[in-house]
Amino acid sequence: METYKRLLLANRAWAQERLDLQSDYFERLAEGQTPQFLWIGCSDSRVPPDEVTGTGPGEVFVHRNIANLVVHTDFNLLSVLQYAVEYLEVRHIIVCGHYGCGGVTAAMGHARLGLLNKWLRHIKDIYKVHRSELDMYDDHERRRDRLVEINVLEQVQNLTKTSIIQGAWARHKRPTIHGWVFGLKDGLLKDLVKVEPGAIVDEIYTYDFDE
Ligand code: CO
């Protein structure tokens, strides 16, 4: 059997399982979504957000890209963020990186990867800022995994620099932003940071809100 056909077969089995548990499952699913969480994660196939958090359809709004970056000129991410915050009114945003991230590894190297180099440049810029700490690690893997953590912390900060987040904090006192890292070797999520609404943002990045 061709590999892709396995997916279609599994889908039929999954849909039937749902119906067996709850006959109106898909009617209710089709009515709309009210997820509490926005997940910003890496595209890596080994970190499926709903699987590792035990959530199901309707619970998590998801954006994924290589190395879970929050780039303030990325209209794709910003559209997802605005929709999640202003229309879905999510309570929590989770930026989730993962140890062993190929994107972070590539950003530490010097290979010519075309367009990818331009995307990963954002991580090189983070490395430069945190060089004094990162260069203390002789072990490449440890240095890479510390950069994975620092990258998550920086992306959480990048969210707080957006007018979307600052506006929602001023008007609605939400959302809370979390920085997590997933361990491929143990399957566990590490809780790195929690930033509550109204947290201090470096003043050069702040916008005026009347409300
Ligand atoms: Co990755």
Side-chain angles (χ1 to χ4, degrees):
M1 182 169 51
E2 290 195 69
T3 51
Y4 75 91
K5 289 186 177 164
R6 180 167 55 84
L7 276 57
L8 294 168
L9 273 176
N11 165 258
R12 290 194 160 266
W14 171 80
Q16 190 55 53
E17 248 170 59
R18 294 282 146 174
L19 287 174
D20 291 346
L21 288 169
Q22 194 183 337
S23 59
D24 64 347
Y25 181 80
F26 291 107
E27 282 149 48
R28 293 180 59 163
L29 197 64
E31 279 170 15
Q33 58 170 340
T34 52
Q36 298 266 303
F37 310 98
L38 166 62
W39 176 280
I40 299 172
C42 184
S43 298
D44 194 302
S45 61
R46 298 166 295 177
V47 196
D50 35 14
E51 186 124 5
V52 304
T53 58
T55 49
E59 290 191 85
V60 186
F61 202 62
V62 173
H63 181 83
R64 293 169 77 178
N65 60 40
I66 291 174
N68 41 270
L69 300 185
V70 175
V71 176
H72 71 281
T73 50
D74 178 355
F75 279 83
N76 187 347
L77 173 119
L78 291 173
S79 303
V80 169
L81 180 66
Q82 186 184 5
Y83 187 71
V85 170
E86 295 180 7
Y87 296 93
L88 296 173
E89 303 181 354
V90 295
R91 297 268 154 200
H92 302 273
I93 299 178
I94 297 148
V95 177
C96 188
H98 65 102
Y99 296 119
C101 183
V104 172
T105 307
M108 290 169 73
H110 306 280
R112 284 168 53 198
L113 303 168
L115 185 58
L116 260 176
N117 286 134
K118 304 194 191 317
W119 183 250
L120 298 174
R121 218 335 257 287
H122 297 290
I123 304 176
K124 286 188 184 287
D125 293 342
I126 291 170
Y127 194 106
K128 185 187 168 203
V129 172
H130 296 270
R131 181 184 289 283
S132 59
E133 182 194 338
L134 289 164
D135 282 355
M136 287 193 308
Y137 297 100
D138 289 330
D139 182 65
H140 184 272
E141 209 169 294
R142 280 195 67 190
R143 189 158 80 242
R144 191 263 323 277
D145 284 346
R146 180 58 187 150
L147 182 54
V148 163
E149 293 177 349
I150 290 171
N151 180 46
V152 166
L153 298 172
E154 288 284 346
Q155 304 317 319
V156 166
Q157 290 302 313
N158 283 346
L159 283 172
T160 70
K161 294 171 189 169
T162 64
S163 58
I164 296 166
I165 291 298
Q166 289 177 25
W169 279 2
R171 297 182 189 116
H172 308 295
K173 304 273 185 288
R174 63 169 167 74
T176 301
I177 305 173
H178 307 261
W180 295 353
V181 180
F182 179 74
L184 293 172
K185 290 178 180 171
D186 61 12
L188 297 175
L189 287 164
K190 183 172 172 183
D191 186 351
L192 286 185
V193 71
K194 179 168 84 166
V195 180
E196 303 275 8
I200 291 174
V201 178
D202 188 321
E203 64 92 23
I204 194 68
Y205 297 108
T206 59
Y207 300 98
D208 296 328
F209 288 94
D210 298 332
E211 292 90 334

